[in-house]
Amino acid sequence: MTGPDGPSETLNATLEQIRLAGAIFFRAEFTDQFTFESAPLAFAAALTPRADRLILFHIVAAGECWVAMEDGIRHWAAEGDVIVMPYGGRYLLGGHSPADPVALALPTPPPWDNIPVVRQGGGGERTDVVCGYLHSEHPLFDPSMRALPPVFVVRLPEGPASSWVRASIDYALEATRPSNLSAAVLQTRLPELLLMEVLRVHLSAEPSSERGWLAALQDPVLAPALALMHGRPEHQWSVKELAAATAVSRSVLDDRFRQVLHRSPIRYLTEWRMHLAQDLLATTTLTVSEVAHRVGYQSEEAFSRAFKRERGAPPSHWRTRQG
């Protein structure tokens, strides 16, 4: 999404205010069949005991895999994709062939002389993944806000950024020195820079990202309303219900949305639902009907009409075009 003054200049400025810290913490070499279960807080506690918010990312360096959170929906990612789980949590990651989940275990506890490598699977086609974490106090990563989906997959467009990311991935996969015993190396800027590029791509398609969306997450009137819509997009929200839940009048809520986000509350809700639907259509195998119900539409027909208005094609055609 672009603003009148160029490609997301305001978005770039607001992203620069986000402070991130983190590290690449292991490499994984999987062979089909594989499914592992991860409890990432254990890793975060070992590496950064003071981190109370965890952002996970997995870079697919080769092959293909899926990731699923508590809802069980599988989001697929291929070579060059970056999987982001902005609020941490338990998850499953697997390949094409079914396999019983196995708890992920690092070879040795930190600190490490070298970046550890996890090898798991049944000996089939190989998938290489670089796994890392970051943490941030920014409201964008506040689990109560749910400003982002619990998991999303991003492919950086061709250009200098994607070339730089690919080169950085190659380095991370091959490098065994310097040692992870060094705090300066452990706090490498690679995860921070990578996630910022991924966020820039993902947020450029968010509703009103160039009109103060990140600022709205900190607004005392808008933040509670956004948290409700983000947390329960399937609910049939009305302006009256949102205003009552945020303890303001309907006119105050509507005025604040229009001042900061340049659209009405219901218009924002429609755009948010379409964004979530687009993610689900692009990265999962849910049917159109299932996607419709997850984003608040009682019928597939109503959802298809709304999606076509917003995206220019019915959901099934849009999904086909995405490959």
Side-chain angles (χ1 to χ4, degrees):
M1 187 179 294
T2 58
D5 53 356
S8 302
E9 291 183 10
T10 304
L11 175 59
N12 291 340
T14 51
L15 282 175
E16 289 173 1
Q17 300 172 10
I18 295 177
R19 296 294 175 263
L20 297 162
I24 288 175
F25 61 98
F26 69 90
R27 295 161 41 194
E29 297 175 0
F30 300 120
T31 55
D32 213 36
Q33 0 171 223
F34 70 91
T35 301
F36 81 76
E37 180 179 11
S38 178
L41 284 176
F43 301 133
L47 295 169
T48 309
R50 292 176 296 178
D52 58 354
R53 296 185 190 180
L54 187 65
I55 307 158
L56 297 173
F57 67 88
H58 290 350
I59 312 162
V60 183
E64 193 174 43
C65 62
W66 56 263
V67 62
M69 305 293 285
E70 291 182 358
D71 60 11
I73 298 174
R74 294 184 177 185
H75 297 259
W76 284 89
E79 181 176 342
D81 290 346
V82 182
I83 303 166
V84 181
M85 289 164 274
Y87 310 111
R90 290 183 176 272
Y91 64 96
L92 294 176
L93 190 146
H96 285 280
S97 301
D100 292 332
V102 176
L104 182 67
L106 292 172
T108 58
W112 305 297
D113 290 327
N114 304 309
I115 295 175
V117 180
V118 174
R119 295 181 175 89
Q120 184 177 315
E125 187 175 353
R126 182 165 148 176
T127 298
D128 291 341
V129 180
V130 178
C131 308
Y133 81 95
L134 300 108
H135 55 95
S136 174
E137 296 301 319
H138 194 277
L140 183 64
F141 304 108
D142 181 350
S144 67
M145 284 296 301
R146 292 290 164 179
L148 297 166
V151 57
F152 57 91
V153 179
V154 174
R155 167 156 295 194
L156 293 171
E158 289 300 321
S162 62
S163 298
W164 174 83
V165 168
R166 280 196 297 269
S168 300
I169 293 169
D170 291 341
Y171 173 81
L173 287 172
E174 298 297 331
T176 58
R177 297 292 181 185
S179 168
N180 265 19
L181 290 169
S182 165
V185 173
L186 187 60
Q187 300 290 333
T188 176
R189 292 206 65 202
L190 173 59
E192 178 182 348
L193 296 172
L194 174 64
L195 187 66
M196 293 305 289
E197 289 298 331
V198 168
L199 285 174
R200 202 179 309 278
V201 171
H202 183 74
L203 292 178
S204 67
E206 292 281 357
S208 66
S209 61
E210 82 283 9
R211 296 190 179 95
W213 181 76
L214 291 175
L217 297 178
Q218 303 176 73
D219 185 276
V221 173
L222 294 178
L226 294 180
L228 291 171
M229 288 189 278
H230 293 168
R232 296 176 60 199
E234 76 285 354
H235 185 71
Q236 300 305 303
W237 293 109
S238 67
V239 177
K240 180 180 179 180
E241 186 178 10
L242 289 167
T246 54
V248 297
S249 69
R250 283 178 285 181
S251 61
V252 167
L253 184 66
D254 186 79
D255 287 347
R256 194 64 183 153
F257 263 88
R258 293 177 187 276
Q259 289 170 9
V260 178
L261 297 174
H262 294 247
R263 69 244 305 125
S264 70
I266 299 306
R267 177 61 189 165
Y268 176 88
L269 177 60
T270 298
E271 293 182 2
W272 178 253
R273 285 170 167 169
M274 292 300 105
H275 179 74
L276 295 179
Q278 183 173 303
D279 277 353
L280 291 171
L281 290 167
T283 65
T284 77
T285 57
L286 291 177
T287 66
V288 172
S289 178
E290 289 170 330
V291 171
H293 284 89
R294 285 184 173 272
V295 298
Y297 288 85
Q298 301 304 307
S299 73
E300 181 178 337
E301 292 76 16
F303 168 65
S304 295
R305 288 194 299 269
F307 191 90
K308 183 177 181 179
R309 283 196 303 268
E310 299 294 325
R311 295 297 186 265
S316 57
H317 294 175
W318 184 91
R319 171 181 262 173
T320 299
R321 287 208 307 258
Q322 300 303 306

